[in-house]
Amino acid sequence: MKENVIKTKSFAFALKVVKLYQFLQTDKKEYVLSKQLLRSGTAIGALVHEAIQAESSADFIRKMAIGLTEANETEYWLDLLFQAAFLDETADNSVKIDITEILKLLVSIIKTSKQNLYK
């Protein structure tokens, strides 16, 4: 069976977000923004997982689109945490590379799926 890249990357990203959340809570004593990041950052993988089991192509696209929304929100929280100095440049760069890649994958998947739906 072929590896599902978005499923693998979104799950790995969720694990990274969980670890970042733990760091922000224990080391930085940041409780509000980190909780928002945890919710949106882990939701991406959950929605991708749901989409893979979708009942129809339209349902697949809808769930991937919600995942894209969560990915955009996650990028926002990461930017805010960096600008507020809760994340240093190294930590920010690490997660930014991942979320940017996930965003690009989701956009591509949705675009291709929509094209295939209307053929």
Side-chain angles (χ1 to χ4, degrees):
M1 185 173 195
K2 189 176 178 183
E3 178 191 12
N4 187 321
V5 176
I6 188 64
K7 183 178 177 184
T8 302
K9 288 187 181 293
S10 61
F11 186 82
F13 182 74
L15 284 175
K16 190 179 271 192
V17 166
V18 168
K19 291 175 184 176
L20 181 57
Y21 169 76
Q22 291 169 333
F23 165 77
L24 289 167
Q25 292 264 306
T26 57
D27 291 18
K28 298 291 186 172
K29 306 297 184 219
E30 198 301 304
Y31 304 104
V32 178
L33 301 176
S34 61
K35 188 71 161 188
Q36 294 287 68
L37 174 66
L38 179 68
R39 287 184 181 136
S40 63
T42 57
I44 302 163
L47 285 156
V48 166
H49 191 78
E50 284 182 36
I52 292 167
Q53 302 299 319
E55 296 176 13
S56 66
S57 295
D59 189 34
F60 174 84
I61 293 167
R62 184 180 61 80
K63 286 178 176 159
M64 285 292 191
I66 297 169
L68 177 60
T69 300
E70 293 293 337
N72 279 309
E73 182 180 335
T74 299
E75 185 178 46
Y76 173 80
W77 295 123
L78 289 169
D79 286 342
L80 194 56
L81 284 161
F82 177 67
Q83 292 298 320
F86 287 109
L87 295 178
D88 64 20
E89 194 170 341
T90 303
D92 184 59
N93 286 340
S94 174
V95 288
K96 275 303 190 61
I97 290 168
D98 294 336
I99 195 63
T100 300
E101 188 175 3
I102 288 170
L103 283 162
K104 288 177 182 178
L105 282 168
L106 288 169
V107 167
S108 177
I109 290 166
I110 293 165
K111 183 178 176 182
T112 301
S113 297
K114 283 181 178 180
Q115 288 171 347
N116 292 337
L117 185 65
Y118 301 116
K119 281 187 177 178

